């Protein structure tokens, strides 16, 4: 009786392992078939995110240099900055991450023994940190405190440019 019970559990265990392997194989097939669509949506998301990440600091430059921290124009700038950050940039960053991770999960796309995926990952994480910093700056403008100089925003606007260059070179050259 004990041998029969053990045999049953062993059979169940093997069935679960084989089922899981089949599911992983099916998921791999789905990712491989969807690859062009996943890549397309990832690229569209990146372009949308980068457009916002380059434009928001420019809005901050004009807001800090040309507008007082109260009044109708200040409110207009705060509304534009908030909508850009919340309605365009954050959803674009989120979809960039989702579709980027799906690309990473697609077999044969990333060879983690090379340097380029690690460079890209570090730069994307840094870009996400910069995105968060921009969100904090947007809240500072809304509160009317902790606003930096236009010069500082101009300098900070170079950060995503350097990160973008590193990301594109790492993905295209694959060093």
């Amino acid at each position: 009786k004990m041998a029969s019970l053990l045999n049953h559990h062993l059979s169940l265990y093997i069935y679960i392992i084989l089922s899981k392997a089949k599911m992983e194989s099916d998921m791999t097939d789905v990712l491989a078939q969807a690859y062009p669509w996943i890549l397309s949506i990832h690229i569209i998301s990146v372009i949308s995110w980068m457009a916002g990440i380059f434009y928001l600091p420019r809005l901050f430059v004009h807001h800090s240099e040309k507008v007082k921290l109260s009044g109708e124009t200040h409110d207009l700038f705060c509304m534009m900055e908030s909508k850009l950050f919340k309605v365009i940039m954050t959803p674009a960053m989120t979809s960039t991450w989702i579709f980027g991770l799906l690309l990473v999960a697609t077999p044969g796309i990333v060879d983690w023994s090379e340097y380029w995926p690690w460079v890209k990952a570090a730069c994307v994480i840094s870009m996400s940190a910069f995105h968060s910093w921009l969100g904090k700056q947007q809240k500072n403008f809304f509160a009317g405190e902790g606003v930096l100089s236009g010069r500082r925003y101009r300098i900070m606007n170079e950060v995503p440019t350097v990160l973008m260059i590193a990301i594109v070179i790492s993905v295209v050259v694959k060093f």
Side-chain angles (χ1 to χ4, degrees):
K1 194 163 188 162
M2 182 67 145
S4 174
L5 186 62
L6 225 96
N7 191 21
H8 175 71
H9 283 298
L10 185 58
S11 296
L12 185 61
Y13 182 70
I14 291 171
Y15 173 77
I16 290 170
I17 289 174
L18 292 176
S19 294
K20 186 176 179 193
K22 169 101 173 82
M23 252 175 40
E24 288 176 2
S25 173
D26 291 346
M27 185 61 170
T28 299
D29 292 345
V30 167
L31 287 173
Q33 290 174 350
Y35 174 77
W37 289 101
I38 294 169
L39 181 61
S40 297
I41 296 169
H42 178 68
I43 292 169
I44 292 165
S45 300
V46 169
I47 291 169
S48 300
W49 186 25
M50 290 300 96
I53 224 161
F54 290 135
Y55 185 53
L56 188 56
R58 297 304 306 165
L59 282 175
F60 290 164
V61 167
H62 299 299
H63 195 166
S64 65
E65 291 181 348
K66 307 290 183 193
V67 179
K68 294 180 182 144
L69 293 179
S70 64
E72 197 174 305
T73 307
H74 167 74
D75 293 343
L76 176 65
F77 266 83
C78 284
M79 185 262 315
M80 291 187 308
E81 293 157 357
S82 176
K83 286 190 183 231
L84 177 60
F85 187 78
K86 292 177 183 172
V87 178
I88 296 171
M89 290 172 60
T90 299
M93 179 189 71
T94 303
S95 62
T96 295
W97 270 96
I98 290 168
F99 290 97
L101 290 172
L102 286 172
L103 289 171
V104 167
T106 305
I109 300 301
V110 177
D111 180 357
W112 290 100
S113 67
E114 295 179 346
Y115 291 112
W116 76 267
W118 298 102
V119 171
K120 180 183 178 183
C123 290
V124 172
I125 290 168
S126 298
M127 192 78 78
S128 299
F130 185 77
H131 176 99
S132 295
W133 180 81
L134 289 173
K136 184 178 184 307
Q137 298 308 306
Q138 188 268 320
K139 288 178 183 174
N140 288 348
F141 273 107
F142 188 77
E145 56 189 39
V147 174
L148 305 175
S149 70
R151 183 175 188 277
R152 179 83 182 269
Y153 289 120
R154 279 188 187 89
I155 292 168
M156 291 305 292
N157 200 28
E158 300 309 315
V159 170
T161 303
V162 172
L163 292 172
M164 180 200 60
I165 290 168
I167 290 168
V168 169
I169 289 172
S170 68
V171 170
V172 173
V173 176
K174 295 191 192 283
F175 47 87

